[in-house]
Amino acid sequence: MRTAAIVGAGPIGCSVGLALRRHGVATHVIDADPEAARRAEERGAGVAEAPAQPADIAVIAVPPGQVAPVLAEHQKLGTARVYTEVSAVKVRLYHEAWAHGCDLTSLVGGHPVVGEGGSWPREPREDLFEGRPWALSPTDATDILALNRALELVALCGAVSVLLDPETHDRAAALVSHAPYLIASLAAARLLDGDESAVRLAGQDLRAVTRIADGNPDLWTDTLTANAGPVADQLDGWAAQAGLLARELRDVARSGDPARPERLRAILRSGAAGRARIPGPWDTPLD
Amino acid sequence: MRTAAIVGAGPIGCSVGLALRRHGVATHVIDADPEAARRAEERGAGVAEAPAQPADIAVIAVPPGQVAPVLAEHQKLGTARVYTEVSAVKVRLYHEAWAHGCDLTSLVGGHPVVGEGGSWPREPREDLFEGRPWALSPTDATDILALNRALELVALCGAVSVLLDPETHDRAAALVSHAPYLIASLAAARLLDGDESAVRLAGQDLRAVTRIADGNPDLWTDTLTANAGPVADQLDGWAAQAGLLARELRDVARSGDPARPERLRAILRSGAAGRARIPGPWDTPLD
């Protein structure tokens, strides 16, 4: 990879630019706001102008609802030979790209998993992607050369590629990110009902569970709406399990049978087993 | 306070002993296992023998199911003038103490909120309670002198007393601790269904939400059974809200009405508002 175009001078786009520059890639930062592109150039993310020749890859790093029209525009301009993007939902992306008449052979949907505390980082960092998972979701239409270019991009950013078809990606994102965010949000919202002295009892456990509940509501509304089906499936599964657990608890309390809590204990053990499946590192501070 | 008896030489009991010794209180550590009491003495938690005269306060720091019989035994022995304990559920404690014929005038139920990651700490620490909430739940029967002695104990341990009647305490504990633990456990258990590549996408958000899911299943089964009603109420509330949110998501996706996500956005905002009610500090590392 020799050249890359970053479309969108936010923290993610600039972090990609910084990461690629470490490897000698000539990066260009394009933004609808020329002032934002100029600031990105000052930060070292790349020169604030479109490439004269098509770049090896363009990274569309704009808000999720704008990806398809911006992609269509740059494919018309011939900004790059291969295109990727960084939104959190893939099925809707391909629908919208198709509806905008985009060339799907040169498109590789991507999703770097770098959000913390439910939000993107506010400042760009060249090591933002280091060791993080970065999903790539090619379709049957995707050219293998385009996919290999996207794999190279992820490697140069220091991240770990995870190949998932768009439907599998969206179900996985609902499971490991979108539903947990809503769960944290619901847990935090319940505190609005608790009185002052109840909230005084809050310890580290509650802080951990609700930590990600202060994400950007606008960005999340967009993401959740885009992935509504898989997220709703997760929530329904949740609701059913929480209801079952409530009944089990009342039964255990009512029966007074000392053997009865075995099922409750089994549920708690499966939680510990599920947690053990999450790869490390676990060492990020709470705030 | 001049003398204190610690009954139960586990990490909580020993931490109380260490904290009181800093203030010159003469502490005694009593345990059914003399070897455990001897180790506690070596660690500086107090002398490994019962006090010759009734101590100013006895702290019963044994597993929740054993508190009432151990309390009854020590009240008969006259180990102290005032008794407190450290279990996580208060209504059942008073029922059991009453059933064991304990003197309720000298008993102040207590609950230091120091668990992290769903478990008690494994090693005693003299600063374990520093700045932490410590609930005290007197009843109408509790002598005011007993309550003041318990308040002094909490202050000497460096913690912040939170007065809550037993029912309010148990509802609060269900809200801020017991239900969140189950929620984390359910979130983690759902990962058992996810395939390998889905789990690869797990980021810091999922780590935060499921962090506390590896608590001790035996201790938690006991706590949850003891507080079954209030915890089941919380879970039912949860299940209802998760179900509503699932329907809202499907409706938003189906309607395509750009004004429609306002209700979803409002739910997310209430999550952020609820989180803002949790007092700091938020600076404890995830593991």
Side-chain angles (χ1 to χ4, degrees):
Chain A
M1 185 182 299
R2 297 198 179 160
T3 56
I6 316 291
V7 182
I12 297 295
C14 285
S15 294
V16 171
L18 291 170
L20 295 179
R21 288 285 293 271
R22 294 181 303 182
H23 295 285
V25 177
T27 54
H28 298 257
V29 181
I30 304 165
D31 198 289
D33 172 8
E35 185 55 27
R38 200 191 53 71
R39 279 198 306 275
E41 178 173 318
E42 278 176 14
R43 280 177 152 154
V47 295
E49 57 187 24
Q53 302 296 319
D56 291 327
I57 194 166
V59 181
I60 312 289
V62 299
Q66 299 169 31
V67 174
V70 168
L71 172 66
E73 174 198 340
H74 283 281
Q75 286 189 330
K76 261 183 217 122
L77 290 169
T79 301
R81 283 182 287 271
V82 170
Y83 296 84
T84 189
E85 48 79 57
V86 296
S87 67
V89 182
K90 296 287 90 88
V91 171
R92 189 174 76 168
L93 162 75
Y94 282 107
H95 280 166
E96 292 184 352
W98 178 82
H100 278 81
C102 296
D103 167 30
L104 299 185
T105 64
S106 63
L107 173 63
V108 184
H111 176 204
V113 182
V114 295
E116 276 182 36
S119 300
W120 293 121
R122 285 186 184 78
E123 295 296 324
R125 277 173 24 206
E126 64 172 21
D127 65 348
L128 181 65
F129 309 102
E130 208 67 43
R132 300 286 182 188
W134 186 319
L136 292 175
S137 295
T139 66
D140 291 344
T142 311
D143 193 289
I144 184 76
L145 297 175
L147 176 57
N148 281 331
R149 188 61 87 193
L151 286 165
E152 188 183 357
L153 172 81
V154 172
L156 293 177
C157 288
V160 182
S161 290
V162 182
L163 286 177
L164 294 165
D165 68 79
E167 288 79 12
T168 305
H169 170 274
D170 289 356
R171 281 198 306 273
L175 173 68
V176 304
S177 171
H178 306 163
Y181 169 70
L182 282 173
I183 293 307
S185 202
L186 287 178
R190 291 194 72 76
L191 295 179
L192 295 176
D193 302 332
D195 67 23
E196 174 68 26
S197 52
V199 173
R200 277 182 179 273
L201 282 198
Q204 292 305 111
D205 290 354
L206 188 69
R207 288 189 183 88
V209 173
T210 60
R211 176 189 170 209
I212 64 175
D214 69 342
N216 179 328
D218 295 321
L219 180 61
W220 272 103
T221 298
D222 194 83
T223 298
L224 294 168
T225 307
N227 202 21
V231 177
D233 289 344
Q234 285 291 330
L235 288 176
D236 282 338
W238 262 87
Q241 287 183 299
L244 268 176
L245 199 46
R247 277 197 294 285
E248 180 73 10
L249 271 175
R250 293 194 210 272
D251 286 350
V252 167
R254 207 157 26 216
S255 78
D257 173 2
R260 190 60 203 269
E262 277 318 309
R263 215 172 112 189
L264 178 60
R265 215 184 307 264
I267 294 171
L268 303 184
R269 289 216 179 99
S270 67
R275 182 183 184 272
R277 288 197 72 189
I278 304 174
W282 284 78
D283 56 356
T284 303
L286 272 179
D287 247 14
Chain B
M1 185 181 302
R2 298 199 179 160
T3 57
I6 316 291
V7 182
I12 298 295
C14 286
S15 294
V16 171
L18 291 171
L20 294 179
R21 289 284 293 274
R22 294 182 303 184
H23 296 284
V25 177
T27 53
H28 298 256
V29 181
I30 304 165
D31 198 288
D33 172 8
E35 185 55 27
R38 200 192 52 73
R39 279 198 306 273
E41 178 173 319
E42 277 177 15
R43 281 179 151 151
V47 296
E49 57 188 24
Q53 302 297 319
D56 291 328
I57 193 166
V59 181
I60 312 288
V62 299
Q66 299 169 30
V67 174
V70 168
L71 172 65
E73 174 198 340
H74 283 281
Q75 286 189 330
K76 264 184 215 120
L77 290 169
T79 301
R81 282 182 287 271
V82 170
Y83 296 84
T84 188
E85 47 80 57
V86 297
S87 67
V89 181
K90 296 287 89 90
V91 171
R92 190 175 74 167
L93 163 75
Y94 282 107
H95 280 166
E96 293 185 350
W98 178 82
H100 278 80
C102 296
D103 165 32
L104 298 185
T105 63
S106 63
L107 172 63
V108 185
H111 176 204
V113 183
V114 295
E116 277 182 34
S119 300
W120 293 119
R122 282 182 186 80
E123 296 296 325
R125 278 173 24 207
E126 65 173 21
D127 64 348
L128 181 65
F129 308 104
E130 206 68 44
R132 301 285 182 186
W134 187 319
L136 292 176
S137 295
T139 66
D140 291 345
T142 310
D143 192 288
I144 184 75
L145 296 177
L147 176 57
N148 281 331
R149 187 61 86 192
L151 286 165
E152 186 183 358
L153 172 81
V154 173
L156 293 177
C157 287
V160 182
S161 290
V162 182
L163 286 177
L164 294 165
D165 69 78
E167 289 78 12
T168 305
H169 170 276
D170 289 357
R171 281 198 307 273
L175 173 69
V176 305
S177 171
H178 306 162
Y181 169 69
L182 282 173
I183 293 307
S185 201
L186 287 179
R190 291 194 73 74
L191 295 180
L192 294 176
D193 303 331
D195 67 22
E196 175 67 28
S197 52
V199 173
R200 279 181 177 272
L201 281 197
Q204 292 305 113
D205 290 354
L206 188 67
R207 290 191 182 86
V209 172
T210 61
R211 175 186 171 211
I212 64 175
D214 69 343
N216 179 329
D218 295 321
L219 180 62
W220 273 104
T221 298
D222 194 85
T223 298
L224 294 168
T225 306
N227 202 21
V231 176
D233 289 345
Q234 284 292 330
L235 287 176
D236 282 337
W238 260 86
Q241 286 182 300
L244 269 175
L245 198 46
R247 278 198 291 286
E248 180 74 10
L249 270 176
R250 292 193 211 271
D251 286 352
V252 166
R254 209 158 24 219
S255 78
D257 173 1
R260 191 60 203 268
E262 276 318 309
R263 216 172 110 190
L264 179 59
R265 215 184 306 266
I267 294 171
L268 303 184
R269 288 215 178 97
S270 67
R275 182 182 183 274
R277 287 196 72 190
I278 305 174
W282 283 78
D283 55 358
T284 302
L286 273 180
D287 249 13

